[in-house]
Amino acid sequence: AQSVAQPEDQVNVAEGNPLTVKCTYSVSGNPYLFWYVQYPNRGLQFLLKYITGDNLVKGSYGFEAEFNKSQTSFHLKKPSALVSDSALYFCAVRASNSGNTPLVFGKGTRLSVIA
Amino acid sequence: DSGVTQTPKHLITATGQRVTLRCSPRSGDLSVYWYQQSLDQGLQFLIQYYNGEERAKGNILERFSAQQFPDLHSELNLSSLELGDSALYFCASSSIAGGTDTQYFGPGTRLTVL
């Protein structure tokens, strides 16, 4: 079975500081990993994904994520947070050998960037 | 704008009623997914269609059903509605049925059951 854990319900960071939103996963085999962001009253927007290759993935809006196979993690990072980054962030996983199974989403982490 | 459209944006109805939510995928996408988002349950996968065929089923109640039409739009039917069905319902689409493919989400339909 596939699963994703986002251990923090809420992350607070000051504007201009680096931010990290944590995600750990569990799959049998290699994972495909995704990050999405949801702004208030909006649908989820795709940020980035890891399929294979370089462990550091760069995505939209200056976000990046680092795949760590030994720690089964895929933390989302940004060097300098903006107030406009305040939103709900979801990590998702699918096992590479799972065929057509849908993505499994974490429960989400609410990021609050304080001016 | 993801290219996925959903109608209506808001829906208010009474318990026991039936509603239909509509989703049009991005141009060229064959796969459609339905999700329910509520405060206490997070984002729950309901059902997936690929090119008109049901491909995967998640935590979908028997009172709920869906279909994907030949023009690839999809409808989610919710019947015998209960207060607990109040939630945001999202549709997502992707070009294929899984693998490395990215799902793109619509803006959602907010259902309120009174």
Side-chain angles (χ1 to χ4, degrees):
Chain A
Q2 305 164 115
S3 66
V4 171
Q6 294 181 244
E8 300 155 318
D9 291 335
Q10 173 93 30
V11 170
N12 298 318
V13 64
E15 188 176 31
N17 283 2
L19 70 86
T20 298
V21 183
K22 295 179 181 177
C23 170
T24 58
Y25 67 89
S26 175
V27 297
S28 58
N30 293 317
Y32 298 141
L33 292 153
F34 300 75
W35 274 104
Y36 286 83
V37 59
Q38 184 181 23
Y39 298 101
N41 300 313
R42 302 285 295 275
L44 277 70
Q45 295 179 32
F46 169 71
L47 280 178
L48 51 82
K49 67 181 177 184
Y50 171 81
I51 303 303
T52 188
D54 194 347
N55 289 342
L56 187 64
V57 179
K58 293 189 184 297
S60 308
Y61 314 120
F63 284 94
E64 58 189 28
E66 186 166 12
F67 172 63
N68 188 318
K69 188 170 184 177
S70 62
Q71 296 186 4
T72 61
S73 67
F74 189 56
H75 300 333
L76 182 70
K77 301 181 180 185
K78 188 173 182 181
S80 178
L82 300 172
V83 171
S84 57
D85 292 329
S86 299
L88 187 58
Y89 290 80
F90 290 93
C91 181
V93 70
R94 177 192 291 126
S96 62
N97 58 1
S98 64
N100 299 320
T101 57
L103 287 174
V104 173
F105 284 83
K107 290 191 175 296
T109 297
R110 190 164 299 280
L111 173 68
S112 181
V113 181
I114 303 154
Chain B
D1 183 4
S2 68
V4 179
T5 60
Q6 289 187 249
T7 56
K9 193 170 183 178
H10 300 278
L11 200 49
I12 301 174
T13 188
T15 54
Q17 295 298 305
R18 173 188 169 94
V19 297
T20 298
L21 312 183
R22 183 188 169 103
C23 168
S24 292
R26 294 187 321 155
S27 177
D29 282 358
L30 299 177
S31 199
V32 168
Y33 308 77
W34 286 98
Y35 292 86
Q36 179 192 59
Q37 185 180 35
S38 56
L39 283 175
D40 57 342
Q41 292 291 325
L43 195 66
Q44 297 286 315
F45 166 69
L46 295 178
I47 197 163
Q48 176 197 0
Y49 279 82
Y50 176 74
N51 204 20
E53 302 285 328
E54 182 183 304
R55 184 57 66 99
K57 207 174 232 188
N59 300 319
I60 189 166
L61 300 171
E62 285 191 12
R63 301 183 284 109
F64 297 181
S65 65
Q67 58 185 126
Q68 187 179 26
F69 294 86
D71 67 351
L72 300 177
H73 91 271
S74 178
E75 293 181 356
L76 179 67
N77 300 297
L78 315 176
S79 61
S80 303
L81 285 166
E82 302 175 359
L83 295 177
D85 297 328
S86 296
L88 263 172
Y89 291 84
F90 288 109
C91 163
S93 75
S94 65
S95 59
I96 58 176
T100 62
D101 210 29
T102 298
Q103 293 180 26
Y104 293 92
F105 282 75
T109 293
R110 182 173 293 280
L111 174 66
T112 303
V113 182
L114 301 175

